[in-house]
Amino acid sequence: MREHTNDNSKEQTSKREGIRRGRRRPHWRFEDLEIWKKALDLAVKFHLIAERLDKRRFYRYAEKLRAAGLSISNNIAEGSGSAHKQEFIQFLNITRRSLFEDASMLLVFERLGLLENTEVDELLWDCDEESRKITNFSRVL
């Protein structure tokens, strides 16, 4: 029994060493999802806006936007690891709600004069498209 455990440990160490020597990293199921790729793009856009808000000392707004933006891709990723379809659908619903939260913040920031109308319009269209794709994806699961 001990030898078997020891062999597994050696195998795991060997895998880690192989990774360090330039092997490809593991591929995650969510990386193939179009909705995750789009969510990743949105997270980056929201992060860049948050950096601008930080420079203007709107730290809480920036942090909230970063968190809601990041939760879109994170919830898709987390849901894709679910063993049951219904559980994944619940994560997708949470993802859509985060998109709505982001949309609301964009509208508030626009009204406060923190963001330009054209930038907000573009991001709202992106959020709307992503929301529709998530809805359609959850229907075909």
Side-chain angles (χ1 to χ4, degrees):
M1 212 43 174
R2 249 179 188 212
E3 288 178 27
H4 178 68
T5 305
N6 199 13
D7 287 342
N8 280 343
S9 178
K10 287 179 185 177
E11 184 180 321
Q12 298 243 340
T13 301
S14 176
K15 283 182 183 177
R16 282 191 296 270
E17 288 172 4
I19 290 169
R20 291 183 188 128
R21 283 187 244 134
R23 273 192 185 168
R24 291 185 56 188
R25 66 176 109 170
H27 183 76
W28 300 92
R29 175 182 176 197
F30 60 83
E31 291 180 280
D32 296 326
L33 299 174
E34 182 184 340
I35 58 172
W36 180 80
K37 292 173 187 175
K38 177 84 172 162
L40 192 62
D41 292 340
L42 280 169
V44 169
K45 289 178 182 180
F46 290 136
H47 185 84
L48 293 173
I49 291 171
E51 285 181 357
R52 292 185 354 232
L53 291 171
D54 277 340
K55 288 177 184 171
R56 295 180 67 186
R57 298 186 178 179
F58 289 99
Y59 304 117
R60 290 188 71 145
Y61 292 171
E63 188 53 37
K64 193 74 172 146
L65 188 63
R66 266 189 208 97
L70 201 53
S71 73
I72 299 166
S73 57
N74 284 348
N75 278 306
I76 294 169
E78 188 174 353
S80 74
S82 300
H84 304 287
K85 178 176 75 167
Q86 202 55 39
E87 205 171 81
F88 191 6
I89 291 170
Q90 287 176 317
F91 276 97
L92 292 173
N93 186 39
I94 294 166
T95 302
R96 285 187 69 248
R97 293 187 336 223
S98 292
L99 279 164
F100 280 66
E101 181 180 6
D102 285 319
S104 176
M105 283 189 280
L106 291 171
L107 292 167
V108 170
F109 298 162
E110 177 186 42
R111 188 161 296 179
L112 290 171
L114 301 174
L115 298 176
E116 295 295 321
N117 301 40
T118 54
E119 183 177 28
V120 171
D121 287 348
E122 181 183 327
L123 286 165
L124 289 174
W125 280 111
D126 288 344
C127 289
D128 180 64
E129 178 185 11
E130 177 72 344
S131 176
R132 291 173 192 279
K133 287 181 184 227
I134 290 167
T135 298
N136 290 335
F137 181 74
S138 64
R139 286 182 181 155
V140 299
L141 267 182

